[in-house]
Amino acid sequence: MAYQRYANVEVDLGAISRNVRTLKGMTPRATRFMAVVKADGYGHGALRAAEAALRGGADRIGVATVEEALELRTAGLKQPLHVLSEPPATAAPLLVEHGIIPSLYSLAFAAALGAAGSAAGVEARYHLKIDTGMNRIGVDAADAPEFAREVAAIGGIRLEGTMTHFATADVPGDWEYERQLERFRDALLRMKTERVDPGIVHAANSAATILHPEAHFDMVRCGIAIYGLHPDRSTYGKVDLAAAMSVKARVARVKRIGMGEGVSYGFTWHAPAPTTIATLPLGYADGVHRLCSNRMTVLIGGRPCQQVGRVCMDQLMVEVPRGLEVRVGDEAVIVGEQGGAAITMDELATHAETINYELACGFALRMERRYLSS
Ligand SMILES: *Cc1c(COP(=O)(O)O)cnc(C)c1O
């Protein structure tokens, strides 16, 4: 395959399958596994990531939007597909037509889904989302049992599962996590008192799957960890994950500059001595945050090279360390391994003052992806 550009993302699909197997191995045998592939599979490609996750033993796929679900369904994915928030009521007929399982927490949406289900002569499945304290989406935990009973009376729909989401599952010993768990358990109990079967109960994201076995319930929902990235430093050493994404480029130009010469917009860096500058053909429009300017390093010839001057939209420059011979066309690694050295997504995220999640999504914006299977 010919590439039009010397900067690309490499995705190791074998790593995704292995990570799913590893994570599944941390849960009881009967626990279902939802692989979350929203935002184009956290930048890894939603369809390829979903397929790799299913090969690794995932049972279900989760996405954020109806469009994302439709993309997977039309590509031929047969497994249960979840939308993790409540879609607009106008999407109800599409959901029913394609057998997509929405999250539900409003009577208006329940009515629309019921009407669409009835019109199609089916019972559309939904999962009840309970807000146990993150204060983002869901029906408030205090009102959930009564709400569930009211919705249960609507025709054309069927409660298949009940879920919540944690705000601080990555913080070991956090009392607010405990409080959310307590509210969830209490809501489930009261649903049963209202004679509503909660169905498949689920709450755990990657962090809770790794750190909180008590939150596994009937299914876990893992996103970041299936891509081999840790949800937080708190899970380092708790699970052995293989990073699926690498970011690579080829040196586009090499130039020798004199002492005191500036590099890139605004000349935020001047050469303290005569040196060699290599230009790489990727920039902030490719997901290398401008905040990484003068902070990050890349690998060339297995050696760390300091990035210098501002990261531009389409290019960035690095200083070639003394003793390293660099030529146009040489491989540079922005994230990943080279010659026994490595730069992690977490390291780059620190320079960008963000989390690996955001960087991985951003690398999907413009760079072509190459798939490998280790
Ligand atoms: C994104 C998301 C997940 C996955 O979270 P990770 O931290 O990536 O594992 C799980 N559940 C819901 C509701 C989500 O929105």
Side-chain angles (χ1 to χ4, degrees):
M1 193 166 165
Y3 293 96
Q4 308 299 324
R5 252 192 108 189
Y6 285 137
N8 58 61
V9 171
E10 271 182 19
V11 177
D12 180 349
L13 296 169
I16 295 177
S17 303
R18 288 198 302 281
N19 292 329
V20 169
R21 211 165 285 130
T22 301
L23 293 158
K24 249 185 101 92
M26 300 178 84
T27 68
R29 234 175 153 40
T31 310
R32 291 182 175 87
F33 191 99
M34 181 195 294
V36 180
V37 303
K38 61 196 181 194
D40 206 9
Y42 292 44
H44 295 68
L47 180 62
R48 305 297 291 268
E51 289 168 344
L54 291 167
R55 282 196 294 277
D59 308 285
R60 293 174 175 236
I61 299 296
V63 293
T65 69
V66 176
E67 270 176 324
E68 289 176 335
L70 283 176
E71 183 199 325
L72 296 173
R73 196 53 105 216
T74 31
L77 220 82
K78 300 277 184 284
Q79 283 75 10
L81 262 171
H82 292 254
V83 175
L84 294 171
S85 60
E86 188 183 86
T90 46
L94 261 183
L95 296 169
V96 170
E97 182 187 342
H98 295 276
I100 295 162
I101 306 166
S103 306
L104 182 150
Y105 38 87
S106 80
L107 283 175
F109 179 72
L113 192 66
S118 298
V122 299
E123 283 197 317
R125 288 181 283 176
Y126 68 92
H127 284 219
L128 175 69
K129 173 71 179 271
I130 301 180
D131 180 357
T132 52
M134 180 155 166
N135 295 318
R136 184 169 72 173
I137 52 172
V139 58
D140 194 85
D143 310 326
E146 199 176 319
F147 176 84
R149 186 168 43 78
E150 248 178 274
V151 175
I154 298 173
I157 51 176
R158 177 167 62 84
L159 176 68
E160 194 207 31
T162 302
M163 65 193 283
T164 192
H165 192 60
F166 296 117
T168 58
D170 56 339
V171 184
D174 184 61
W175 71 271
E176 290 185 290
Y177 157 79
E178 300 287 348
R179 187 174 63 177
Q180 280 199 267
L181 185 64
E182 198 50 47
R183 283 179 179 157
F184 189 46
R185 286 195 177 124
D186 178 60
L188 292 167
L189 268 178
R190 286 185 297 124
M191 277 173 75
K192 286 171 192 158
T193 322
E194 296 275 350
R195 300 191 180 286
V196 180
D197 177 2
I200 302 167
V201 173
H202 50 113
N205 54 4
S206 295
T209 302
I210 298 165
L211 299 174
H212 297 291
E214 74 281 5
H216 288 173
F217 295 102
D218 304 319
M219 177 161 72
V220 296
R221 305 186 303 264
C222 290
I224 199 75
I226 74 169
Y227 306 104
L229 299 172
H230 283 269
D232 185 84
R233 277 166 207 280
S234 59
T235 63
Y236 284 7
K238 307 274 189 217
V239 58
D240 192 15
L241 300 170
M245 184 186 282
S246 305
V247 179
K248 296 181 178 174
R250 289 188 181 277
V251 173
R253 191 217 196 187
V254 179
K255 189 187 183 192
R256 191 78 198 152
I257 64 169
M259 186 177 86
E261 291 276 342
V263 171
S264 195
Y265 290 120
F267 291 146
T268 59
W269 185 84
H270 290 87
T275 189
T276 304
I277 298 297
T279 302
L280 303 181
L282 80 171
Y284 60 76
D286 299 296
V288 183
H289 287 214
R290 197 161 169 276
L291 267 175
C292 296
S293 299
N294 292 304
R295 295 178 176 179
M296 65 187 283
T297 56
V298 309
L299 299 171
I300 304 178
R303 289 186 56 185
C305 303
Q306 180 66 42
Q307 191 280 325
V308 295
R310 285 198 178 127
V311 171
C312 308
M313 187 185 287
D314 317 303
Q315 281 150 117
L316 58 86
M317 277 64 82
V318 303
E319 186 182 18
V320 177
R322 209 178 287 275
L324 179 66
E325 192 75 44
V326 171
R327 282 189 206 84
V328 168
D330 284 357
E331 182 191 75
V333 170
I334 292 84
V335 175
E337 297 178 10
Q338 190 191 54
I343 292 172
T344 64
M345 196 73 82
D346 286 352
E347 201 176 321
L348 196 62
T350 304
H351 296 315
E353 296 175 22
T354 183
I355 51 174
N356 53 25
Y357 294 71
E358 190 184 8
L359 284 195
C361 291
F363 286 129
L365 295 179
R366 191 168 68 177
M367 278 186 284
E368 195 169 347
R369 275 190 295 261
R370 291 175 52 186
Y371 288 99
L372 352 154
S373 205
S374 68

